[in-house]
Amino acid sequence: MADGSQADGAQRPSDSETGLTATEAAKRLAQFGENALAEHHVSTLRRLLRFFMGPIPAMIEAAAVLSAIVGHWADFSVIMAMLFVNAGVGFWQEWKADNAIALLQKRLAPGARVCRDGKWEDLPARQVVPGDLVMLSLGNIVPADVKLVGDGILSVDQSALTGESLPVDKKAGDVAYSGSIARQGEVTAIVVSTGMNTYFGKTAHLVEQAGNVSHFQRAVLRIGNFLIIVTVALVCFIAIVSLFRHDPIIDTFQFAMVLTIASIPVALPAVLSVTMAVGAERLARMKAVVSHLVAIEEMAGMDLLCTDKTGTLTLNQLTLGEAEPVAGVDAATLLEAAALASNTASPDAIDSAVITAAGTSPAPAHLVKFTPFDPVVKRTEATVERDGRTFSVAKGAPQVIVDLCGLTGAARDGVSAAIEAAGTKGYRALGVARNDGQGWHYLGMLTLFDPPRPDSASTIAAARSMGIDFKMITGDHEAIARQIAGKLDLGQNIVVADTIFGKDAPADTLSAIEKADGFARVFPEHKFAIVKALQGAGHIVGMTGDGVNDAPALRQADVGIAVSGATDAARAAADLVLTEPGLSVITRAIEEARRIFERMTGYAIYRISETIRVLLFMTASILLYNFYPVTAIMVVLLALLNDVPIMMIAYDNAPSAPKAVRWDMVRVLSVAAVLGIFGVIVSFSVFLFVRDYLGLPAAIVQSVVFLKLLVAGHMTIYLTRNKGPFWERPWPSWKLVVPCELAQAIGTITVVYGWFMAPTGWGLAAMVWGFALAEFVAASFLKWGVYKLLGRVVRAS
């Protein structure tokens, strides 16, 4: 993965002997730049200003200007507050998202042991250049992509970069990646790539490229644009007709502006953002921290979850399988010999698994000599003394131990068959031998694997019952992937990444990706490409992971989920960060996300239906009867008394859909249009009743119409919060009911006693409430019927 152009131009044979001179290093630093990830800074002000641009912000800003022009300062203050709340929430989300690159940067080595001018010195890793000779030993973070030289051997942990669950042995000529950690050995190496040209840097570049516009953001724009177009068209129509009738220009202009202000969805982004923010608090109590609010809506519609294996589905902790001793040897003896051949002072992953499984030996032994694992001979060996007797034990690659013991014929074939059987199951095998002074004797074989988390299988089953499919993505070998997939019932169609993205890739790559149950031997760019391809096929894709190698895919996914113990880079790239081990919290988070989605859908239908109801009624009244049914101040009061209490929909009770849910704009607009038009019909009934039948003065008629629009408007939110009749559970939360009813009470008292308008008295107010309640019941059955009709249409199609 090292960049060839950089490496070829930097490396010379002499570099491996004495390193670079300070002069040559300075030239290369100027040529290739610092060994750091490129950061593209955008000023805070410029980043903030982006949230004041776009269709909805532009209309909100226009509404604020118009409010100032007509002198409605209270309305101006509310609109500006909404504008800054929207911008502030969006800015905070983006600022947190952009930390991904910064946290990737932190993972790079802070320093390096470099040979300059023939002398070894410690330098900041940023100053390492291609061609530098560096020293790597136990615990070092590899400072750049390096090629090993000399006779040394290095075992490196690159699980966070590639997803491989076991340390990888590197010898002369192999490349060790920047950011990986040296676990054993000491070697010298030549730097071949630095900065963004390293394997690590290319991963960071993918993180920069990742990202897409969420379905939630697109839905808000569509709803906002629809309301804006309807509002502007009808208001312009009213203004043109009024001018033809020679109405006073100033009065016409003022009313048109106030009507525009009241109808533009000023509170739409704020209500939806607050709804998600409240949901995020609930998820936090479930041990799931939301870093990008829009991901909550995406999670409600997620139908496919791509999941990393190591550390996500599995414990990332090597565990011994069943011991397989030869005839005449018991399992305890086999385990004890393997434990004695392990490094207890500084155990690696394999040694730790063996020591843990063996437990405490009943007869302590004194270690005389220990030879650590050497990737060349591929075994460890120890000489121990117990009860005055000295003997040796060894463990390592089974083939090596077989050769050590000199097995031949049937014995050798039997071991080979056992090794092959373990390999097909995804197990790593260890051979164990003992020498009591009369030659080496083969004791048997141990198998090692990274076990699934205890809750992985149940979580996958629960998520599938909610309509979510799974695909496992891992850097491990396909045999290991199949073994884990079998234990978790994920399917056995595990595809090697190179067969999808390599030279022999199928013509229909997307079909191959969709049919696969999982992918093995993947690199970060493969994970990124898999997620992007599935998104292109119309899926709302989730991605779980914990390593640096998962960061690009986490950022690209509609819902990126960093599991407990994830690297800083993975957490920064993710939308949701789990703070307790396992995936079980995901199913609870999905349920909560679907409830939040229902709240947002209910509000969207309410907002559209109210705009249709108010605008159509006013437009028809002015055109047909040359009568302004409400005054400008009534319009402002209506907007204030409607939007402020409706913010509490974020705390409403809501059902959780059994399957993934998405924004269905046909359904939203259909239900909203039916409710809005029905509201227009009832509003006209009230208007004509009090004007023509009761013969009330125009000022009283306007007060009655105002109260009707207010009371019926608040009742509409009780209709749109579910798909069934109004009595269907879950019932509205008191946190929604109290502010809505309080706003209705304030509006009623205002009308009864004539604050800002002509007084109606309690009799007319009671009549309006009667009309509104009758409308509420009738509209509930009407809405129920519309949903049933839409359901039949969907099933028929």
Side-chain angles (χ1 to χ4, degrees), residues 394-406:
K395 77 174 191 312
Q399 298 90 339
V400 171
I401 301 299
V402 165
D403 290 340
L404 179 68
C405 297

Side-chain angles (χ1 to χ4, degrees), residues 120-156:
W120 290 100
E121 54 184 306
D122 293 319
L123 295 175
R126 300 178 71 95
Q127 296 181 17
V128 169
V129 297
D132 261 329
L133 185 65
V134 297
M135 176 73 71
L136 300 172
S137 57
L138 177 66
N140 288 162
I141 298 176
V142 180
D145 283 1
V146 299
K147 182 177 289 186
L148 274 60
V149 295
D151 298 328
I153 298 295
L154 190 71
S155 178
V156 295

